[in-house]
Amino acid sequence: MLEAIYPGSFDPVTYGHLDIIDRALHLFDRLIVAVAERGPKESFFNVEERVAMLKEVLADRPKIVVSHFDGLLADYAIRERIRFVIRGLRAVSDFDFELQMALTNSKLAPGLDTVFLMTKETHLYLSSSTVKEIAKLGGDVSEFVPPLVGERLKEGFKKEI
Ligand code: PNS
């Protein structure tokens, strides 16, 4: 059985992530969507909230497990005995960081390969950060995130005020 990990901050999950997940499912028999407890930036939603949103949004998709990990992705992949990592690539600006991460991960976990999927052009400029910014300023995020995520963003920013 061919399995892969799709790791990320998912703070929160967007339609860009869902597109990558759906396309990865054409390549792999099983996909672990793995939420990093501590990503590169401080997160708006805590790990339980991020996992819960992903579980709800992905409930109708078979072959997916939503999980979370702390520490190094390479160690998590070794523990799970998984050889492939999925990452989405948007613009050239993603490339440096992604290359560095892919090479570092394969150094830390020899044999761990990263499979890059190019984002759909409609999602080229979509990121969780811009979605949060729009929601924070009261804008409409319905084109970018599933309805339940839009609601959680609204609730989250209401609490902040
Ligand atoms: O969605 P993101 O924020 O682009 O995801 C980045 C993430 C969480 C996949 C990356 O930061 C990560 O793997 N963090 C876990 C810690 C780790 O392994 N760091 C070394 C990577 S070179």
Side-chain angles (χ1 to χ4, degrees):
M1 183 154 73
L2 210 50
E3 297 174 299
I5 299 176
Y6 179 36
S9 304
F10 302 105
D11 186 41
V13 58
T14 68
Y15 283 136
H17 296 124
L18 296 181
D19 169 55
I20 297 292
I21 289 171
D22 285 331
R23 284 158 56 210
L25 286 175
H26 295 308
L27 302 172
F28 292 92
D29 303 307
R30 184 168 169 266
L31 189 67
I32 300 183
V33 179
V35 179
E37 290 184 22
R38 284 175 290 178
K41 297 180 213 154
E42 204 185 320
S43 64
F44 178 68
F45 293 105
N46 65 36
V47 65
E48 289 81 17
E49 291 168 326
R50 286 178 279 148
V51 166
M53 282 186 273
L54 276 163
K55 281 190 174 164
E56 283 184 56
V57 167
L58 296 170
D60 60 345
R61 287 171 175 78
K63 309 199 294 183
I64 289 187
V65 175
V66 178
S67 183
H68 57 94
F69 68 101
D70 198 9
L72 289 172
L73 173 62
D75 289 339
Y76 180 67
I78 292 170
R79 275 201 308 278
E80 295 290 321
R81 296 169 187 272
I82 290 186
R83 284 201 44 230
F84 297 101
V85 170
I86 296 282
R87 291 287 288 171
L89 267 185
R90 287 166 307 189
V92 181
S93 50
D94 281 345
F95 187 76
D96 269 356
F97 173 66
E98 293 297 336
L99 178 67
Q100 201 180 358
M101 205 162 75
L103 296 181
T104 308
N105 283 333
S106 67
K107 193 93 185 157
L108 295 172
L112 183 63
D113 265 315
T114 302
V115 177
F116 291 106
L117 294 176
M118 299 301 151
T119 196
K120 232 187 190 168
E121 59 186 65
T122 42
H123 298 139
L124 203 54
Y125 298 104
L126 175 54
S127 74
S128 299
S129 307
T130 49
V131 167
K132 280 179 285 194
E133 176 103 31
I134 295 168
K136 186 177 181 172
L137 300 173
D140 176 14
V141 292
S142 58
E143 261 189 69
F144 312 125
V145 294
L148 85 92
V149 175
E151 281 160 30
R152 303 283 153 86
L153 280 164
K154 240 189 223 166
E155 289 160 15
F157 283 115
K158 231 188 261 165
K159 264 189 236 155
E160 261 208 340
I161 298 166

